[in-house]
Amino acid sequence: MSIVLEKQDASTPSETIAGSPRISTDIFKEEEGEPPAENTAPPDGGFKAWLQVLGAFFLCLNSWGIVNSFGAFQTYYSTALLSQESPSNISWIGSMQGFLLLMIGVVTGPIYDAGHFQALIRTGSFLVVFGMMMTSLCTQYWQVMLAQGVCIGLGSGCIFVPSFALLPQYFTKRRALATGFAVSGSSVGGIIYPVVFHKLQPRIGFPWATRVIGFLALAGVLVSLGVSRVRVLPKQKRALLELSAFREAPYSMFTIGMFFSFLGLYIPIFYIQTYAIQKGITSQNLGFYLLPILNAASIFGRIIPNFIADKAGALNILVPCCFAASILSFAWIGIDKAPGLIVFAILYGFFSGAFVSLPPTAVVALSPHLGVIGTRMGMCFALASLGLLIGTPVSGAILNRTGDFLGPQALSGAMVLLAGSSILASRIIKHGPKLLLKA
């Protein structure tokens, strides 16, 4: 009996044996090098689609979640391992981590578009776990910078854009909600990892506390590697950069807004613990838990705004979240009591949560078709990474020079206010001033 292999279109990928029924093999298409066509409609749900959300959840948990946890390491380094270093120098470690996470999206976006999703998440997963294990061996500043700043940052960058770019292939009407559930992993990581470190470090020491986090990260990325699958691939390779996108005013203004948002966004996240403890507002134990409280609130800030965004549009929700976060940053200046600081952490966590979950959906809305999402998302977050790189070290330098948190607090509020204004301009240019129009 002869065997005939038929090449099918994307809607019915199969392998045919003469005289036998067709057997679907679409789940293996990426590995076989026969990607489905680019124009197949997303299923907008189903078991396999929600498995991708689960995979993206753990990728976010072990990329953004680790960045969101750095405030716990900042506090420990400034009082123990790297106590001889200034707050600004220590902040460079976390800023480098976040900078690389976003910056190398310029490269990983086109690599994803070229069909190398699995290679990216495998490489990134290895680097994240390896970097955490190497951090456990560090005793000097330059070692921590290389292991925790550079290695983990590069690994996080490899999995960040693919985790976001995968979901539009599976969702349309519920795209923002699916993205919100996935990005909530970054908040969960920002809760679990600081608490694990805080509880274990006094008992088993810094090296083993850090290794435990590394093993937890390994378990999470193994789940993602097991379930994440590309459904469709572009018909052709994409350019590394699409500079013509910056001739579109809505995209340009949105990208500028992202730069300013990340310049100010992480200042409270990095310094809220130090502020509470140094000012004597809370005990050291309660001061530590302010960061997990903030990250816990941001879970709801990543899901609820995204649920509303499916109905109202990502830009319509992101703009008021920006202005609310700016107001809260300015209000932080006058907070000198523990209850007020706890309320601030909850509210800031909620509204700042939208900064990570909504921009990918907004970039999709500002793109002409799905085939350029990886490249455009990479360019947008690469420019945003420059703000993340300089924001917290600059605030640390201001704090070191003045000895007062007023400068960092005002810087955070002003930058996020500029971000909201730029994103509002993007929305008006794209859709006009009508508030009730989905945008």
Side-chain angles (χ1 to χ4, degrees):
M1 180 175 65
S2 62
I3 298 177
V4 181
L5 298 180
E6 284 187 352
K7 191 173 183 179
Q8 304 296 323
D9 60 40
S11 60
T12 58
S14 62
E15 185 178 271
T16 302
I17 300 178
S20 63
R22 296 177 182 270
I23 302 172
S24 176
T25 58
D26 61 316
I27 194 171
F28 302 111
K29 278 297 175 186
E30 183 183 1
E31 287 75 13
E32 291 176 359
E34 298 180 22
E38 187 177 11
N39 59 354
T40 55
D44 204 35
F47 180 71
K48 187 175 179 182
W50 288 107
L51 274 183
Q52 309 315 304
V53 176
L54 178 65
F57 172 89
F58 281 106
L59 291 177
C60 289
L61 191 150
N62 291 297
S63 54
W64 271 119
I66 292 177
V67 174
N68 288 342
S69 304
F70 186 76
F73 287 93
Q74 171 98 18
T75 302
Y76 172 75
Y77 291 154
S78 63
T79 57
L81 186 67
L82 302 176
S83 58
Q84 72 280 7
E85 301 290 340
S86 69
S88 179
N89 285 347
I90 295 172
S91 292
W92 277 109
I93 300 169
S95 292
M96 179 62 69
Q97 206 176 63
F99 166 74
L100 290 173
L101 184 153
L102 295 173
M103 173 56 78
I104 65 170
V106 172
V107 177
T108 58
I111 292 175
Y112 166 84
D113 286 336
H116 301 293
F117 171 78
Q118 287 292 331
L120 284 172
I121 64 171
R122 288 168 185 167
T123 302
S125 298
F126 169 78
L127 289 174
V128 167
V129 176
F130 179 74
M132 192 60 69
M133 296 303 182
M134 291 300 100
T135 301
S136 72
L137 303 176
C138 296
T139 58
Q140 299 180 43
Y141 176 80
W142 67 269
Q143 295 171 340
V144 179
M145 174 62 79
L146 288 177
Q148 192 170 12
V150 176
C151 188
I152 294 178
L154 288 172
S156 299
C158 286
I159 61 181
F160 172 59
V161 168
S163 67
F164 281 113
L166 184 65
L167 298 181
Q169 299 183 4
Y170 288 88
F171 294 92
T172 51
K173 294 181 181 179
R174 290 184 285 183
R175 179 181 297 158
L177 179 62
T179 303
F181 278 122
V183 178
S184 67
S186 61
S187 300
V188 173
I191 299 169
I192 293 174
Y193 291 147
V195 171
V196 168
F197 183 79
H198 179 67
K199 290 294 185 181
L200 294 184
Q201 186 275 322
R203 299 179 183 180
I204 60 178
F206 171 77
W208 271 107
T210 308
R211 286 173 199 141
V212 169
I213 293 176
F215 285 122
L216 290 174
L218 175 62
V221 296
L222 286 177
V223 173
S224 299
L225 289 169
V227 302
S228 299
R229 294 291 183 272
V230 171
R231 193 182 70 87
V232 293
L233 294 176
K235 295 179 180 178
Q236 60 188 16
K237 293 183 179 181
R238 306 300 177 190
L240 185 65
L241 298 174
E242 188 198 354
L243 297 180
S244 61
F246 292 108
R247 291 200 290 268
E248 302 172 16
Y251 178 79
S252 296
M253 293 304 298
F254 181 80
T255 302
I256 292 170
M258 291 299 295
F259 167 80
F260 285 121
S261 71
F262 279 96
L263 201 156
L265 174 67
Y266 271 83
I267 294 172
I269 296 173
F270 275 32
Y271 286 102
I272 188 171
Q273 293 175 315
T274 306
Y275 174 80
I277 295 170
Q278 286 190 3
K279 289 282 189 177
I281 298 174
T282 67
S283 65
Q284 188 165 358
N285 190 56
L286 177 58
F288 166 81
Y289 279 102
L290 288 172
L291 180 60
I293 289 171
L294 188 153
N295 283 320
S298 71
I299 294 177
F300 301 97
R302 282 158 165 77
I303 296 175
I304 296 175
N306 282 57
F307 176 77
I308 301 173
D310 278 329
K311 305 289 189 292
L315 293 174
N316 283 343
I317 305 303
L318 186 57
V319 169
C321 286
C322 284
F323 288 132
S326 173
I327 293 170
L328 286 167
S329 291
F330 284 121
W332 182 25
I333 295 172
I335 299 175
D336 57 4
K337 302 293 183 182
L341 202 55
I342 293 171
V343 172
F344 166 77
I346 293 171
L347 292 177
Y348 189 83
F350 179 85
F351 287 108
S352 65
F355 283 80
V356 177
S357 61
L358 285 175
T361 305
V363 170
V364 173
L366 293 172
S367 300
H369 54 85
L370 293 179
V372 297
I373 288 175
T375 299
R376 288 197 172 202
M377 201 177 294
M379 292 192 304
C380 176
F381 283 113
L383 292 177
S385 72
L386 297 175
L388 181 55
L389 177 67
I390 64 177
T392 51
V394 166
S395 64
I398 295 172
L399 175 62
N400 193 48
R401 174 167 293 187
T402 64
D404 192 350
F405 284 89
L406 175 62
Q409 292 165 326
L411 177 65
S412 175
M415 293 302 100
V416 178
L417 179 62
L418 283 173
S421 302
S422 297
I423 297 172
L424 176 61
S426 171
R427 186 249 183 255
I428 293 174
I429 294 170
K430 179 72 174 179
H431 298 285
K434 295 182 180 179
L435 296 178
L436 298 180
L437 182 67
K438 182 177 180 180

